[in-house]
């Protein structure tokens, strides 16, 4: 019994680095998948959210992004800054208020060619009351929040 416990404890240091891999904080990702697997190009091309597929994946900014088609992946890879959402895909209103929170893919808005995502539609209504002001505050807060 003592021998089995010793070997179990001896294996822990080797398993810990894999478990402790840091999550990229500047991109809204869970388990390394950006935006819960939603295709960021679709908001621009179809005007609605749609999940992408691991079959059409690309790595960018330390996360894996999924796309609905090879064409969308190619568009993103050619110009990721044109399609990646502002503030790493975190709720833009939250960033404007000084914190990072997840998003509802249905609560989105494109302003001057940039995709902004929000926590939910209620928050999105607040966001729309002063989009320029919220963008200015979020832009000022983002450098501090990006790696927090």
């Amino acid at each position: 019994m003592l021998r089995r416990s010793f070997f179990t404890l001896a294996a822990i240091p080797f398993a810990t680095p894999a478990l402790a891999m840091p999550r990229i904080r500047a991109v809204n990702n869970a388990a390394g998948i950006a935006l819960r697997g939603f295709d960021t190009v679709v908001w621009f091309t179809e005007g609605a959210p749609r999940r992408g597929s691991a079959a059409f994946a690309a790595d960018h900014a330390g996360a894996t992004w999924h796309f609905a088609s090879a064409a969308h992946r190619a568009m993103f890879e050619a110009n990721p800054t044109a399609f990646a959402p502002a503030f790493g895909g975190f709720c833009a209103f939250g960033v404007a208020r000084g914190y990072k929170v997840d998003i509802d893919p249905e609560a989105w808005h494109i302003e001057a060619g940039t995709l902004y995502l929000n926590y939910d539609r209620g928050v999105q209504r607040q966001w729309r009351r002063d989009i320029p002001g919220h963008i200015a505050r979020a832009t000022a807060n983002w450098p501090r929040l990006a790696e927090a």
Side-chain angles (χ1 to χ4, degrees), residues 69-83:
S69 68
H72 282 190
R73 179 181 58 202
M75 290 168 68
F76 182 83
E77 288 177 324
N79 191 0
T81 57
F83 296 103

Side-chain angles (χ1 to χ4, degrees), residues 32-128:
I33 307 299
L35 305 176
R36 291 186 271 142
F38 280 85
D39 178 342
T40 190
V41 175
V42 170
W43 278 291
F44 291 91
T45 61
E46 298 176 18
R50 184 161 52 124
R51 285 201 184 272
S53 166
F56 305 112
D59 291 327
H60 174 69
T64 300
W65 300 67
H66 289 178
F67 300 93
S69 68
H72 282 190
R73 179 181 58 202
M75 290 168 68
F76 182 83
E77 288 177 324
N79 191 0
T81 57
F83 296 103
F87 315 118
F90 290 97
C91 173
F93 185 76
V95 173
R97 300 196 72 187
Y99 50 86
K100 295 191 299 191
V101 293
D102 201 10
I103 54 101
D104 174 352
E106 297 289 337
W108 62 278
H109 174 76
I110 295 174
E111 179 78 20
T114 300
L115 174 63
Y116 296 94
L117 301 168
N118 291 124
Y119 177 74
D120 63 21
R121 290 188 181 191
V123 167
Q124 184 180 43
R125 283 190 292 278
Q126 294 177 55
W127 166 259
R128 288 186 178 193

